[in-house]
């Protein structure tokens, strides 16, 4: 990483930053002049992005202390986290009759507990400063149900509810919480589907609508909602391929 500049914009912290939407968002914020704290389990993938003014930490979002320690280190160098992007997630779609319950546990842990751990790490400081934005990665599956998505939908409905409830609770402190709700996006998240039929169903539908979105589509939207004036809060943004019907 290059040496720290003195003309940087506010610090951006991103979970799940090693690939997909997280990596694309890191690049977009870097291009906009922001220092970065990138968190994920695959540190080599984050380092390979080779972004200036960044800190990469091998962190599991279920490890509260590791998140807190990484944020403390980055904030000592770059000042407080102004934008926190809660992006880490997994999608183990499958038949609820035959699916391994351990996949349910993993989705509940990462998609819900991981999000709460991120919020817990930065929200008190934002409320104290009366400034800051948390973007939580929801999904179109947090607004309606889909076959083979039962527990995944449950976790994403939970993200939407958690985000909106806390937003209402801290809005008077000038802190924003935003739910991003993508539809079909082509990322490595698809590779976390272990049920062959469920995975093929996703791929077939994506092909039928002309293909999914790309991670950069969502990254650009995240940067836009964050860089909007603090007086303006986009509560929820749903972004889908034009031809996606559900």
């Amino acid at each position: 990483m290059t040496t720290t500049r003195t003309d940087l914009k506010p610090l951006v912290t991103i979970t799940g930053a090693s690939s997909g939407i997280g990596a694309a968002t890191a690049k977009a914020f870097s291009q906009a002049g922001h220092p970065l704290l990138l968190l994920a389990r695959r540190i080599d993938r984050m380092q390979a992005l080779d972004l200036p003014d960044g800190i990469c930490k091998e962190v599991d979002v279920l490890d509260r202390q590791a998140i807190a320690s990484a944020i403390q280190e980055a904030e000592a160098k770059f000042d407080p986290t102004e934008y926190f992007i809660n992006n880490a997630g997994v999608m183990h779609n499958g038949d609820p009759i035959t699916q391994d319950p351990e996949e349910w546990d993993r989705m509940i842990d990462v998609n819900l507990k991981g999000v709460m751990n991120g919020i817990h790490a930065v929200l008190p400081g934002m409320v104290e400063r009366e400034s800051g934005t948390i973007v939580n990665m929801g999904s179109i599956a947090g607004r309606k149900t889909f076959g083979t998505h039962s527990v995944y939908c449950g976790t994403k409905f939970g993200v939407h509810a958690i985000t909106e409830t806390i937003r209402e609770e801290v809005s008077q402190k000038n802190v924003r919480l935003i739910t991003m709700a993508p539809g079909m996006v082509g990322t490595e998240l698809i590779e976390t589907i272990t049920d062959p039929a469920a995975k093929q169903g996703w791929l077939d539908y994506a092909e039928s609508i002309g293909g999914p979105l790309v991670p950069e589509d969502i990254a650009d939207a995240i940067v836009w909602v964050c860089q909007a004036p603090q007086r303006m809060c986009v509560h929820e943004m749903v972004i889908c391929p034009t031809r996606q019907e559900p």
Side-chain angles (χ1 to χ4, degrees):
M1 296 298 174
T2 60
T3 56
T4 304
R5 301 197 312 267
T6 59
D7 59 342
L8 292 173
K9 295 180 180 178
L11 175 64
V12 180
T13 298
I14 304 172
T15 70
S18 61
S19 66
I21 293 171
T25 303
K27 293 176 184 177
F29 272 115
S30 180
Q31 291 170 359
H34 291 268
L36 303 167
L37 171 60
L38 305 182
L39 307 178
R41 292 180 298 164
R42 297 178 295 181
I43 192 168
D44 57 324
R45 297 283 295 270
M46 295 184 290
Q47 291 172 337
L49 297 173
D50 195 26
L51 300 175
D53 304 300
I55 296 175
C56 300
K57 289 294 182 179
E58 183 177 352
V59 169
D60 189 315
V61 292
L62 300 183
D63 189 338
R64 295 189 188 97
Q65 185 55 52
I67 296 172
S69 295
I71 290 173
Q72 183 178 21
E73 178 181 334
E75 292 187 346
K77 183 176 183 179
F78 294 120
D79 291 331
T81 297
E82 185 68 15
Y83 306 128
F84 187 90
I85 315 304
N86 239 333
N87 169 72
V90 293
M91 182 171 67
H92 299 311
N93 296 343
D95 185 335
I97 298 173
T98 60
Q99 188 172 22
D100 185 344
E102 289 189 2
E103 293 191 343
W104 305 345
D105 292 342
R106 183 63 180 161
M107 284 187 283
I108 291 168
D109 285 345
V110 176
N111 297 354
L112 284 175
K113 294 180 183 177
V115 166
M116 289 302 301
N117 288 343
I119 294 171
H120 181 265
V122 296
L123 185 61
M126 290 181 175
V127 168
E128 182 179 356
R129 298 189 308 272
E130 297 195 3
S131 181
T133 300
I134 298 172
V135 177
N136 292 331
M137 191 57 62
S139 171
I140 190 70
R143 295 173 54 87
K144 70 176 304 296
T145 57
F146 296 86
T148 74
H149 286 60
S150 57
V151 177
Y152 181 74
C153 283
T155 63
K156 291 303 182 178
F157 268 79
V159 169
H160 284 235
I162 289 166
T163 307
E164 177 58 17
T165 303
I166 297 177
R167 185 200 65 76
E168 294 173 3
E169 292 174 331
V170 302
S171 61
Q172 296 308 305
K173 292 296 185 177
N174 202 43
V175 176
R176 304 182 298 186
L177 275 85
I178 298 168
T179 304
M180 297 300 296
M184 304 191 86
V185 185
T187 72
E188 290 184 9
L189 192 66
I190 312 309
E191 301 306 317
T192 68
I193 303 175
T194 60
D195 183 315
K199 182 176 181 179
Q200 192 59 50
W202 193 100
L203 295 171
D204 288 346
Y205 182 71
E207 182 179 3
S208 74
I209 62 171
L213 299 177
V214 297
E216 289 75 14
D217 296 326
I218 310 303
D220 289 344
I222 292 172
V223 173
W224 182 81
V225 298
C226 286
Q227 292 187 338
Q230 192 71 19
R231 66 177 181 273
M232 183 182 92
C233 180
V234 178
H235 295 191
E236 180 177 290
M237 180 177 284
V238 181
I239 309 174
C240 298
T242 300
R243 293 171 61 183
Q244 182 174 347
E245 295 176 358

